[in-house]
Amino acid sequence: MRVGVPSEIKPGEHRVGLTPTAVREYVAHGHQVLVQQGAGLGAGYADDAYVKAGATIAPDADAVFAGAEMIVKVKEPQKIEWERLTDRHILFTYLHLAPDPAQTEGLLKSGCAAIAYETVTDARGGLPLLAPMSEVAGRIAVFSAAETLLKHNGGMGLLLSGVPGVPPARVAVLGGGVVGSNAARMAAGLGAEVVVLERSIPRMRELDDLYQGRILTRYSTFAAVEEEILKADVIIGAVLTAGAAAPKLVRREHLSKMKPGSVLVDVSIDQGGCFETSHPTTHAEPTYTVDGVVHYCVANMPGAAPRTSSEALGNATLPFGLALADKGLNALKTNVHLARGLNVLAGKLTHPTVAQALGKESVDPYGAWA
């Protein structure tokens, strides 16, 4: 199969869909790989590294889309990109369609087969292609929160770790999944007081056993969330319902009751955000303030560490991408977990949760939901 890797064009995005190491694997499987000139530079991969791995360098994105059957990206396609897609293309990338009707309509109109990293599953019920970026985002969220707390960045002027004789910041993490547990780990490691609000009792037991009381856990109810966000200096939103829009856990009316200069970090922003007052921001302008509370809502947090992120994502996506390149869409017929990544096919939505979030009907071409 002819596999194409275009440059990412979303603002502040420097990751790349395939590293040179991954390209070498595709080539070893007998596939042709077309990489846009300069696509890997932001992550530290020169064109020469791709050529040595067996890729061909294309002069621009038009050449990549025209010459490839499968497009491997990182972020959701932008308008100019979905307009290049046709019914002969397989698109393999993050999509996050639930809060994005414009992209959804663009992909439906293209006729392509679009497979979303974030809805591919595994035998344990996890999301293996979302997990590595969730790990990165959870860790970056804490560094970003610590920086935003500083006075010159609009925060209250509090040092996350505190110093002897002065208490550290209190960090409330909403959700104890991959993002939340990584955020809690980093915040605790920096010396913050950390509470994780979670609804899975087994997950809370895991965190309690792992951290031996260093991190507090609390069952997440409306009352518990309201109480903790008023006590917190930093709130990290880390909730996820696979394929669906994120629930709004912090409402506008809560903000006036929170500490002035406190910080909200919305890691759920790709799925619409879990704070009512969230809207996507960029690394160039990451924050804004509502009712005295600073919001950090960068929609591609892992893009700040493109080398680490590209390698971690490449490790996770490689076996699934090779299956698609080897077998085409037939790979979905024998792999229920990969089939659950299919969001769009031939002008139809194929993921029920995504379709429900968008108020549309879905079809199930491969029996992935049986």
Side-chain angles (χ1 to χ4, degrees):
M1 183 178 284
R2 298 188 303 277
V3 179
V5 183
S7 296
E8 296 295 324
I9 60 174
K10 189 166 185 173
E13 184 53 68
H14 302 289
R15 289 172 288 179
V16 64
L18 293 180
T19 65
T21 298
V23 166
R24 186 174 178 182
E25 295 293 319
Y26 277 84
V27 172
H29 278 240
H31 305 297
Q32 301 173 36
V33 182
L34 195 61
V35 178
Q36 183 176 344
Q37 184 176 13
L41 290 178
Y45 306 115
D47 290 343
D48 285 349
Y50 284 103
V51 172
K52 289 178 181 178
T56 300
I57 302 300
D60 52 35
D62 285 333
V64 171
F65 280 82
E69 300 163 277
M70 183 167 83
I71 301 295
V72 181
K73 284 176 41 63
V74 178
K75 290 304 291 179
E76 71 277 2
Q78 306 301 292
K79 185 174 186 293
I80 193 173
E81 295 176 307
W82 75 57
E83 289 176 345
R84 293 185 177 111
L85 293 166
T86 70
D87 58 5
R88 68 180 178 83
H89 283 118
I90 298 172
L91 174 65
F92 193 38
T93 189
Y94 289 116
L95 294 177
H96 300 292
L97 294 180
D100 195 347
Q103 183 201 170
T104 303
E105 291 301 324
L107 294 180
L108 292 172
K109 184 177 179 181
S110 76
C112 76
I115 299 167
Y117 294 159
E118 73 272 11
T119 61
V120 172
T121 60
D122 62 23
R124 296 172 294 178
L127 302 171
L129 306 191
L130 187 62
M133 295 304 92
S134 295
E135 291 168 343
V136 175
R139 299 179 187 205
I140 285 178
V142 174
F143 298 143
S144 300
E147 183 72 14
T148 306
L149 269 178
L150 301 180
K151 194 68 175 179
H152 66 275
N153 290 323
M156 65 177 69
L158 186 67
L159 185 64
L160 188 77
S161 63
V163 294
V166 180
R170 184 175 177 92
V171 178
V173 181
L174 308 183
V178 178
V179 170
S181 60
N182 276 270
R185 171 185 175 181
M186 297 305 292
L190 289 172
E193 181 182 6
V194 183
V195 57
V196 177
L197 292 101
E198 171 60 55
R199 289 197 168 184
S200 167
I201 293 175
R203 183 58 175 158
M204 287 189 283
R205 287 197 182 105
E206 290 176 1
L207 291 171
D208 192 59
D209 288 344
L210 182 62
Y211 292 103
Q212 296 293 301
R214 180 65 187 87
I215 291 172
L216 305 176
T217 57
R218 186 169 183 183
Y219 190 80
S220 182
T221 62
F222 289 116
V225 170
E226 288 183 348
E227 183 178 330
E228 291 297 338
I229 64 176
L230 299 187
K231 293 193 290 185
D233 304 299
V234 172
I235 300 146
I236 295 178
V239 296
L240 173 70
T241 302
K248 307 299 183 188
L249 299 184
V250 177
R251 303 287 184 177
R252 175 68 184 259
E253 60 264 26
H254 292 140
L255 301 188
S256 61
K257 302 174 185 177
M258 292 169 59
K259 298 179 183 179
S262 57
V263 175
L264 295 176
V265 180
D266 199 339
V267 190
S268 304
I269 193 65
D270 276 327
Q271 292 294 126
C274 63
F275 308 137
E276 189 175 52
T277 46
S278 291
H279 64 74
T281 61
T282 66
H283 290 292
E285 296 184 31
T287 65
Y288 60 92
T289 301
V290 180
D291 294 344
V293 176
V294 187
H295 294 55
Y296 185 101
C297 304
V298 175
N300 58 334
M301 291 183 195
R307 185 65 174 244
T308 298
S309 298
S310 295
E311 292 189 17
L313 183 60
N315 293 340
T317 60
L318 183 61
F320 295 95
L322 285 176
L324 286 168
D326 290 344
K327 302 176 182 178
L329 294 180
N330 285 330
L332 307 184
K333 298 177 182 179
T334 57
N335 187 330
V336 65
H337 301 296
L338 183 55
R340 286 177 177 149
L342 185 68
N343 281 206
V344 174
L345 179 66
K348 302 288 185 182
L349 285 172
T350 56
H351 194 290
T353 307
V354 171
Q356 183 179 22
L358 291 161
K360 294 179 177 291
E361 294 184 355
S362 66
V363 299
D364 179 10
Y366 299 115
W369 308 101

